[in-house]
Amino acid sequence: EAGVAQSPRYKIIEKRQSVAFWCNPISGHATLYWYQQILGQGPKLLIQFQNNGVVDDSQLPKDRFSAERLKGVDSTLKIQPAKLEDSAVYLCASSYPGTSGGQFFGPGTRLTVL
Amino acid sequence: QKEVEQDPGPLSVPEGAIVSLNCTYSNSAFQYFMWYRQYSRKGPELLMYTYSSGNKEDGRFTAQVDKSSKYISLFIRDSQPSDSATYLCAIDTHSWGKLQFGAGTQVVVTP
């Protein structure tokens, strides 16, 4: 079974630039999550989708972050404009609905904002 | 106050020793308790998942939950250098996926 795929793996941008991350979840997983993991901290949930609908985006900084999941499969997370404090690893995870403990994580995208 | 507290370590142990990790939490509504392992530059990997108070064993790993004390633990027996990683506890209220993670404890197992 293929795991969660993410790209790019690394990205370096300057502040005020925009960036986008892509995630392809495990086949059949209706629930998709985006997390932000700052160095030395645990992952923090940014947004949760079930199919192509948003379940929870209460911690997403909506003035600069946006996410979409078209057709209920792949998802993109965008930051525009980026700030220095956005430097982090952005993790995508997927699961079957209602299986909190069954979240499978991708390798993450390491973003550095200069 | 953070909802989930976890000592960041690092915790260094010799090969073969028992590794003891723990987290405390503040919200008594938490019902689902997980431990994830994260190797450097990788995503977290689920190790253990428990719902109720008590112990759960899986090979060399034992997870303990004490809801009355709001305290969870993970024990790794016969530790190996390949166990060197960061261990994250994660807690949820309703199995809906909004996990609250601890900061992670870095474990180093020396040969």
Side-chain angles (χ1 to χ4, degrees):
Chain A
E1 178 183 76
V4 176
Q6 290 188 248
S7 67
R9 291 296 313 276
Y10 304 91
K11 190 75 178 178
I12 300 174
I13 62 172
E14 296 196 349
K15 60 183 179 183
R16 291 188 288 274
Q17 285 187 323
S18 63
V19 63
F21 313 125
W22 172 82
C23 172
N24 179 246
I26 292 173
S27 178
H29 281 190
T31 308
L32 185 146
Y33 315 80
W34 282 102
Y35 288 87
Q36 180 192 58
Q37 187 174 23
I38 293 172
L39 186 65
Q41 299 182 19
K44 182 183 83 171
L45 180 69
L46 293 175
I47 189 167
Q48 177 184 351
F49 291 95
Q50 182 152 325
N51 296 309
N52 58 351
V54 175
V55 174
D56 186 341
D57 63 358
S58 58
Q59 298 190 94
L60 186 74
K62 298 181 186 64
D63 58 335
R64 298 184 300 107
F65 286 64
S66 64
E68 61 181 7
R69 190 182 184 198
L70 299 176
K71 300 181 182 178
V73 182
D74 293 4
S75 177
T76 56
L77 176 70
K78 297 179 182 177
I79 308 175
Q80 183 179 8
K83 292 185 175 181
L84 296 177
E85 58 261 37
D86 298 332
S87 293
V89 176
Y90 290 85
L91 294 161
C92 179
S94 69
S95 72
Y96 290 111
T99 56
S100 176
Q103 292 189 30
F104 293 84
F105 284 81
T109 297
R110 183 175 298 271
L111 173 67
T112 300
V113 182
L114 302 176
Chain B
Q1 182 189 9
K2 292 181 182 177
E3 289 202 274
V4 183
E5 298 278 1
Q6 185 176 8
D7 188 330
L11 178 63
S12 183
V13 299
E15 184 175 356
I18 295 176
V19 176
S20 175
L21 304 165
N22 56 75
C23 287
T24 58
Y25 61 94
S26 57
N27 187 347
S28 58
F30 286 135
Q31 298 184 62
Y32 299 87
F33 308 93
M34 286 140 273
W35 286 95
Y36 282 82
R37 177 175 63 196
Q38 186 172 26
Y39 291 115
S40 180
R41 301 188 182 273
K42 301 285 187 182
E45 169 195 11
L46 181 65
L47 282 178
M48 301 287 283
Y49 173 66
T50 57
Y51 168 69
S52 59
S53 285
N55 293 0
K56 181 177 181 179
E57 272 193 36
D58 185 359
R60 297 185 296 112
F61 299 92
T62 299
Q64 282 187 351
V65 175
D66 182 347
K67 287 186 178 180
S68 62
S69 301
K70 300 189 186 70
Y71 191 89
I72 65 171
S73 302
L74 178 71
F75 300 96
I76 308 173
R77 291 183 299 279
D78 187 26
S79 57
Q80 305 295 312
S82 57
D83 294 326
S84 297
T86 295
Y87 291 80
L88 298 151
C89 62
I91 307 179
D92 195 5
T93 53
H94 297 105
S95 189
W96 291 344
K98 188 171 182 178
L99 300 181
Q100 298 290 334
F101 280 88
T105 299
Q106 183 185 2
V107 172
V108 179
V109 181
T110 54

